[in-house]
């Protein structure tokens, strides 16, 4: 059951283009369904965060990541009185704007776009749902509800916020987003920390001994060893990761419940003006930061990952220059946003590529 402070589709600002409501689904469910049916969502299957898509079939993709985030966010939303459907919607859409090759791709595209307003994946996710998806006769984009769009725009510079109308307002006022958006932000962190540990271990880049230097990991590993002394490594990592997710989610829920109790918000409007309600306890926040910096050092900056990253950045740069030399090389059927400079269209086109498509196109050019 949603609470008084949850987002509520029946009293929302609603959609940019007014549409009749339906009796079968609430408006957030409708948004979720639009996301699932859009082409940017399907392409998440072939985009990755740490490992490039073709490195192995058992690693997470952006699609499986988004589904994991949605699972975690829904359970948290249910317990904290948020609107579960909105939490699901934001989760499934939160990574739509990612370039091929994850953060490496984003950095490279941002560099290419430096003179033309830069590139930022959050903003790109909003651009996709507001404009780039062309599926409906009445409007561009998916015409999502205000709360879905607000949740997708997790970060935004002040400069960009000023151009975004009411969706950018909270960054100017330094307000919080809805409780559902707050939940998804942290569910995203919980999901990627844990699946990067899992993928990192299974790729051979992280070892159990090395991982044991993290207090939270060690706490969970000790518990698994105590219960199953002869456990094999593959099941061990799974048992540890599920305990870690469990502990993180439990801490988040109990700390956030205390916060909600303390501030006792009576509406979404009040949630916006309060400090963040969805939070870890200070001890858990510390262990989470510890693991994140460990992952940065040991996984994201691992030589093998860095080699991939450098290669990815090189590919993005080559592709950008190739299209910039002659914008007509962008396929005609790529629906352009005609009000923008053509560099933005190039950026939209490249950002929409999957890892394998970008690699293939690059290989055809050299
Ligand atoms: Mg994510």
């Amino acid at each position: 059951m949603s609470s008084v402070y949850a987002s509520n589709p029946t009293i929302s600002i609603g959609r940019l283009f007014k549409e009749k409501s339906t009796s079968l689904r609430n408006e957030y469910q409708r948004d979720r369904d639009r996301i699932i049916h859009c082409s940017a969502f399907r392409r998440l299957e072939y985009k990755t965060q740490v490992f490039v898509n073709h490195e192995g079939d058992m690693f997470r993709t952006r699609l499986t990541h988004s589904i994991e985030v949605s699972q975690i966010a829904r359970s948290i939303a249910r317990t904290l009185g948020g609107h579960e459907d909105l939490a699901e919607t934001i989760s499934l859409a939160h990574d739509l704007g990612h370039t091929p090759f994850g953060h490496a791709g984003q950095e490279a595209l941002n560099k290419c776009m430096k003179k033309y307003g830069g590139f930022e994946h959050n903003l790109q996710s909003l651009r996709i749902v507001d404009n780039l998806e062309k599926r409906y006769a009445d409007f561009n984009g998916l015409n999502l509800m205000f709360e879905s769009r607000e949740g997708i725009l997790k970060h935004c510079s002040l400069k960009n916020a000023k151009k975004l109308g009411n969706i950018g307002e909270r960054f100017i006022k330094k307000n919080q987003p809805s409780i559902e958006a707050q939940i998804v932000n942290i569910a995203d962190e919980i999901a990627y920390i844990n699946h990067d540990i899992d993928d990192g271990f299974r790729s051979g880049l992280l070892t159990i001994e090395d991982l044991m230097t993290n207090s939270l990991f060690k706490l969970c590993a000790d518990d698994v060893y105590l219960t199953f002394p002869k456990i094999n490594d593959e099941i061990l990592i799974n048992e540890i990761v599920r305990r870690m997710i469990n502990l993180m989610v439990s801490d988040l829920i109990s700390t956030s419940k205390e916060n909600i109790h303390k501030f006792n918000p009576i509406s979404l409007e009040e949630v916006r003006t309060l400090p963040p309600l969805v939070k870890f306890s200070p001890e858990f926040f510390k262990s989470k930061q510890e693991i994140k910096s460990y992952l940065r050092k040991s996984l994201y900056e691992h030589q093998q990952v860095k080699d991939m990253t450098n290669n990815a950045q090189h590919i993005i740069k080559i592709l950008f220059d190739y299209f910039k030399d002659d914008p007509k090389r962008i396929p005609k059927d790529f629906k352009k946003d005609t009000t923008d400079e053509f560099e933005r269209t190039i950026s939209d086109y490249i950002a929409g590529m999957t890892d394998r498509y970008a690699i293939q196109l690059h290989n055809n050019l050299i």
Side-chain angles (χ1 to χ4, degrees):
M1 256 296 270
S2 296
S3 56
V4 284
Y5 48 83
S7 298
N8 180 346
T10 62
I11 52 169
S12 162
I13 304 175
R15 305 178 188 279
L16 289 174
F17 183 89
K18 295 284 168 243
E19 293 183 68
K20 276 198 196 113
S21 55
T22 81
S23 56
L24 295 173
R25 296 170 291 174
N26 71 51
E27 297 304 308
Y28 299 144
Q29 288 174 331
R30 215 169 167 198
D31 281 3
R32 173 204 57 204
D33 298 348
R34 287 182 182 187
I35 288 154
I36 289 175
H37 288 275
C38 83
S39 81
F41 185 71
R42 287 194 293 281
R43 273 176 279 131
L44 293 178
E45 185 177 358
Y46 301 103
K47 292 190 181 201
T48 42
Q49 194 163 312
V50 180
F51 299 91
V52 172
N53 190 243
H54 63 87
E55 285 183 304
D57 287 344
M58 76 283 204
F59 298 129
R60 262 70 171 192
T61 66
R62 291 255 172 220
L63 181 65
T64 59
H65 162 70
S66 302
I67 295 170
E68 289 181 27
V69 173
S70 142
Q71 179 271 316
I72 294 171
R74 284 181 62 162
S75 344
I76 301 170
R78 199 175 310 145
T79 321
L80 293 184
H83 199 299
E84 209 180 313
D85 297 322
L86 178 61
E88 182 180 19
T89 301
I90 300 171
S91 301
L92 294 178
H94 86 283
D95 269 356
L96 287 178
H98 270 287
T99 60
F101 318 124
H103 293 288
Q106 156 161 320
E107 262 174 47
L109 194 54
N110 188 29
K111 260 190 218 157
C112 297
M113 285 296 288
K114 205 169 170 211
K115 280 193 247 158
Y116 318 102
F119 177 88
E120 207 277 309
H121 71 87
N122 268 172
L123 215 51
Q124 190 68 9
S125 301
L126 188 69
R127 233 175 118 65
I128 288 172
V129 299
D130 276 1
N131 200 315
L132 296 177
E133 282 287 328
K134 302 278 190 316
R135 303 178 53 79
Y136 302 94
D138 280 328
F139 43 79
N140 281 348
L142 305 178
N143 195 33
L144 301 183
M145 295 287 283
F146 179 84
E147 295 75 16
S148 305
R149 299 170 61 231
E150 176 199 45
I152 290 170
L153 194 64
K154 181 170 155 186
H155 308 292
C156 183
S157 67
L158 267 186
K159 196 173 146 219
N160 285 328
K162 285 177 188 155
K163 295 182 207 153
L164 292 171
N166 59 4
I167 211 82
E169 255 171 40
R170 80 172 168 92
F171 297 97
I172 299 163
K173 293 184 182 161
K174 298 200 168 19
N175 277 354
Q176 302 305 319
S178 67
I179 191 142
E180 294 81 4
Q182 295 185 34
I183 290 169
V184 175
N185 287 348
I186 301 192
D188 184 22
E189 254 189 320
I190 296 177
Y192 77 70
I193 287 173
N194 286 289
H195 67 51
D196 286 353
I197 288 177
D198 189 24
D199 283 355
F201 172 75
R202 285 182 304 111
S203 69
L205 300 185
L206 302 179
T207 64
I208 298 283
E209 281 168 329
D210 211 23
L211 282 158
M212 285 292 233
T213 56
N214 292 289
S215 51
L216 186 61
F217 186 92
K218 187 171 182 311
L219 181 79
C220 296
D222 288 347
D223 181 53
V224 180
Y225 279 130
L226 198 68
T227 327
F228 308 101
K230 289 188 180 142
I231 198 162
N232 75 43
D233 276 0
E234 205 174 318
I235 301 188
L236 170 73
I237 194 78
N238 190 44
E239 286 288 344
I240 295 172
V241 164
R242 63 187 278 241
R243 278 168 177 73
M244 285 181 53
I245 296 179
N246 224 328
L247 286 180
M248 286 183 179
V249 170
S250 308
D251 179 84
L252 185 78
I253 288 176
S254 60
T255 314
S256 309
K257 270 189 175 166
E258 278 170 29
N259 272 334
I260 292 169
H261 185 72
K262 181 171 140 200
F263 290 104
N264 197 22
I266 52 156
S267 67
L268 167 60
E269 269 48 59
E270 200 182 340
V271 168
R272 295 186 194 285
T273 59
L274 292 170
L277 294 172
V278 184
K279 281 172 97 166
F280 286 112
S281 64
E283 308 80 69
F284 254 81
F285 183 80
K286 225 177 116 207
S287 341
K288 183 206 72 173
Q289 294 306 92
E290 183 197 339
I291 297 182
K292 277 172 79 168
S293 63
Y294 162 80
L295 282 172
R296 194 173 319 116
K297 249 186 7 257
S298 311
L299 185 63
Y300 312 143
E301 287 170 11
H302 190 287
Q303 196 52 47
Q304 207 172 311
V305 174
K306 267 170 115 176
D307 289 345
M308 181 282 283
T309 304
N310 292 339
N311 192 30
Q313 296 194 323
H314 174 73
I315 293 177
I316 298 282
K317 167 103 178 60
I318 298 267
L319 293 181
F320 191 86
D321 292 344
Y322 170 73
F323 290 113
K324 193 155 164 27
D325 279 348
D326 183 1
K328 283 204 246 13
R329 287 170 173 159
I330 291 182
K332 277 204 184 68
D333 61 350
F334 180 71
K335 314 286 193 307
K336 284 177 243 174
D337 182 348
T338 48
T339 60
D340 284 306
E341 289 170 305
F342 72 82
E343 285 83 3
R344 183 59 59 190
T345 306
I346 299 173
S347 156
D348 288 338
Y349 187 56
I350 294 178
M353 290 178 186
T354 59
D355 296 2
R356 60 179 191 177
Y357 183 79
I359 293 171
Q360 217 172 53
L361 184 61
H362 167 262
N363 291 348
N364 290 343
L365 297 181
I366 52 171

